[in-house]
Amino acid sequence: MRGTTLVPRRWVGVALNPEYAGRVYGPGEPYEVSRVKIADFADAIGETSELCRDKDAAVKAGYPDVIAPPTFAVIIDQLSAKAVVSDPGLGLDYSMVVHREQSFSYARPLHAGDVVVATTTIDSIRTVGAMSMLITSTSIDTVDGEHVATANSNIVERGAQE
């Protein structure tokens, strides 16, 4: 069939598997938050606060070490969510995904020296027309069990063109 593009049948008009709502993934491998990772991330997003680079300034402000910008948790969230989006039973075509929304709530800032694990839960799956919405929450906790943050994510899988 020269010149014909074949689309796998499962992507045409098929929504995400709703039975996956409530499924929990993790905790994953420990992730060590370091000064270098924090500084690199701060540079990448244009964060200029000395609290992200200068340990003495961070300690003077009441933190044990340099602190991560609030959106740093997206790294940990995405590493954890990888298990969700790569689960073949969910039926997600990641090439059709748009990241709709991301939010974070903190018990305290992440700081250099933290070693954390993340557990991602599929909070809900719903279909709206040709789109499927996948809402997840990721609990980020120290390896000792202290809750640090929760990352909430909402992605949309756009319907495939027929």
Side-chain angles (χ1 to χ4, degrees):
M1 294 188 175
R2 190 173 286 163
T4 302
T5 302
L6 298 177
V7 176
R9 187 89 182 126
R10 73 184 206 106
W11 301 129
V12 179
V14 175
L16 298 178
N17 184 345
E19 293 177 9
Y20 273 57
R23 209 169 265 216
V24 177
Y25 297 80
E29 292 296 314
Y31 180 89
E32 186 174 348
V33 179
S34 71
R35 289 184 195 139
V36 171
K37 290 176 184 174
I38 291 171
D40 286 348
F41 187 84
D43 288 344
I45 65 168
E47 174 59 66
T48 59
S49 173
E50 63 182 6
L51 299 178
C52 299
R53 292 178 181 79
D54 182 341
K55 181 180 178 180
D56 291 336
V59 169
K60 187 175 180 181
Y63 302 105
D65 208 320
V66 297
I67 60 171
T71 54
F72 182 89
V74 75
I75 296 168
I76 302 160
D77 176 45
Q78 291 299 301
L79 289 170
S80 181
K82 191 175 187 180
V84 175
V85 300
S86 64
D87 186 333
L90 178 60
L92 180 69
D93 178 358
Y94 203 74
S95 70
M96 300 299 288
V97 166
V98 175
H99 195 176
R100 182 169 181 245
E101 187 176 334
Q102 183 81 46
S103 65
F104 306 95
S105 58
Y106 280 88
R108 66 161 175 83
L110 284 160
H111 60 75
D114 275 335
V115 180
V116 296
V117 292
T119 303
T120 299
T121 302
I122 297 176
D123 294 327
S124 66
I125 296 171
R126 65 180 197 155
T127 301
V128 179
M131 295 186 224
S132 295
M133 298 176 75
L134 175 68
I135 298 173
T136 62
S137 59
T138 299
S139 180
I140 301 170
D141 307 285
T142 67
V143 291
D144 296 328
E146 176 191 5
H147 180 68
V148 178
T150 301
N152 298 293
S153 180
N154 182 336
I155 63 173
V156 176
E157 179 188 40
R158 299 170 288 134
Q161 300 296 317
E162 294 192 45

Short mmCIF file of all heavy atoms in Angstrom, two decimals, residues 5 13 15 18 40 42 49 58 69 84 88 92 95 106 118 162:
data_model
loop_
_atom_site.label_atom_id
_atom_site.label_comp_id
_atom_site.label_asym_id
_atom_site.label_seq_id
_atom_site.Cartn_x
_atom_site.Cartn_y
_atom_site.Cartn_z
N THR A 5 -0.80 5.87 4.92
CA THR A 5 -0.36 5.85 6.30
C THR A 5 -1.37 5.03 7.09
O THR A 5 -2.56 5.32 7.08
CB THR A 5 -0.30 7.28 6.89
OG1 THR A 5 0.59 8.05 6.08
CG2 THR A 5 0.18 7.26 8.32
N GLY A 13 -10.53 6.66 17.88
CA GLY A 13 -11.77 6.75 18.64
C GLY A 13 -11.77 5.95 19.93
O GLY A 13 -12.82 5.67 20.47
N ALA A 15 -10.90 5.68 23.89
CA ALA A 15 -10.56 6.49 25.06
C ALA A 15 -9.63 5.71 25.99
O ALA A 15 -9.41 4.51 25.82
CB ALA A 15 -11.85 6.85 25.80
N PRO A 18 -10.93 3.44 31.54
CA PRO A 18 -11.46 4.04 32.76
C PRO A 18 -11.24 3.18 34.00
O PRO A 18 -11.30 3.68 35.12
CB PRO A 18 -12.95 4.21 32.46
CG PRO A 18 -13.24 3.20 31.40
CD PRO A 18 -11.99 3.07 30.60
N ASP A 40 21.00 24.28 38.57
CA ASP A 40 20.75 24.08 37.14
C ASP A 40 19.30 24.38 36.79
O ASP A 40 19.01 25.04 35.78
CB ASP A 40 21.11 22.66 36.71
CG ASP A 40 22.61 22.40 36.62
OD1 ASP A 40 23.40 23.37 36.66
OD2 ASP A 40 22.98 21.21 36.52
N ALA A 42 17.18 26.29 38.52
CA ALA A 42 16.96 27.72 38.70
C ALA A 42 17.48 28.50 37.50
O ALA A 42 16.81 29.42 37.01
CB ALA A 42 17.63 28.20 39.99
N SER A 49 16.84 33.97 42.78
CA SER A 49 16.93 34.01 44.25
C SER A 49 18.22 33.36 44.74
O SER A 49 18.58 32.26 44.33
CB SER A 49 15.74 33.29 44.88
OG SER A 49 15.92 33.19 46.28
N ALA A 58 20.51 30.75 52.53
CA ALA A 58 19.38 29.86 52.83
C ALA A 58 19.31 29.54 54.33
O ALA A 58 18.23 29.57 54.93
CB ALA A 58 19.47 28.59 52.01
N PRO A 69 13.34 25.94 43.62
CA PRO A 69 12.17 26.72 43.20
C PRO A 69 10.91 25.84 43.28
O PRO A 69 11.01 24.61 43.14
CB PRO A 69 12.49 27.07 41.74
CG PRO A 69 13.97 26.95 41.62
CD PRO A 69 14.36 25.86 42.57
N VAL A 84 3.05 5.67 34.77
CA VAL A 84 1.65 5.78 34.37
C VAL A 84 1.54 5.83 32.85
O VAL A 84 0.83 5.03 32.23
CB VAL A 84 0.98 7.02 34.98
CG1 VAL A 84 -0.45 7.18 34.47
CG2 VAL A 84 1.01 6.97 36.50
N PRO A 88 0.95 0.03 29.24
CA PRO A 88 0.21 -0.26 28.01
C PRO A 88 -1.29 -0.48 28.24
O PRO A 88 -2.10 -0.20 27.36
CB PRO A 88 0.87 -1.52 27.46
CG PRO A 88 1.64 -2.12 28.58
CD PRO A 88 1.96 -1.00 29.53
N LEU A 92 -2.78 4.97 26.57
CA LEU A 92 -2.44 6.36 26.28
C LEU A 92 -1.49 6.44 25.09
O LEU A 92 -0.47 5.77 25.05
CB LEU A 92 -1.77 7.00 27.51
CG LEU A 92 -1.34 8.45 27.38
CD1 LEU A 92 -2.57 9.36 27.30
CD2 LEU A 92 -0.48 8.84 28.57
N SER A 95 1.97 10.58 22.04
CA SER A 95 2.21 11.52 20.93
C SER A 95 1.01 12.44 20.72
O SER A 95 1.12 13.45 20.03
CB SER A 95 2.52 10.76 19.64
OG SER A 95 1.36 10.10 19.15
N TYR A 106 2.73 22.41 48.98
CA TYR A 106 3.92 22.07 49.76
C TYR A 106 3.65 22.04 51.25
O TYR A 106 2.98 22.92 51.78
CB TYR A 106 5.02 23.11 49.51
CG TYR A 106 5.76 22.88 48.21
CD1 TYR A 106 5.30 23.43 47.02
CD2 TYR A 106 6.88 22.08 48.18
CE1 TYR A 106 5.96 23.21 45.83
CE2 TYR A 106 7.55 21.84 46.99
CZ TYR A 106 7.09 22.42 45.83
OH TYR A 106 7.74 22.18 44.65
N ALA A 118 8.50 9.16 45.18
CA ALA A 118 7.22 9.68 44.69
C ALA A 118 6.28 8.52 44.38
O ALA A 118 6.69 7.48 43.88
CB ALA A 118 7.45 10.52 43.44
N GLU A 162 -9.11 10.60 11.77
CA GLU A 162 -9.42 9.41 10.95
C GLU A 162 -9.12 9.67 9.52
O GLU A 162 -9.11 10.75 9.03
CB GLU A 162 -10.89 9.03 11.14
CG GLU A 162 -11.15 8.59 12.57
CD GLU A 162 -12.49 7.94 12.71
OE1 GLU A 162 -12.85 7.10 11.88
OE2 GLU A 162 -13.18 8.26 13.67
#
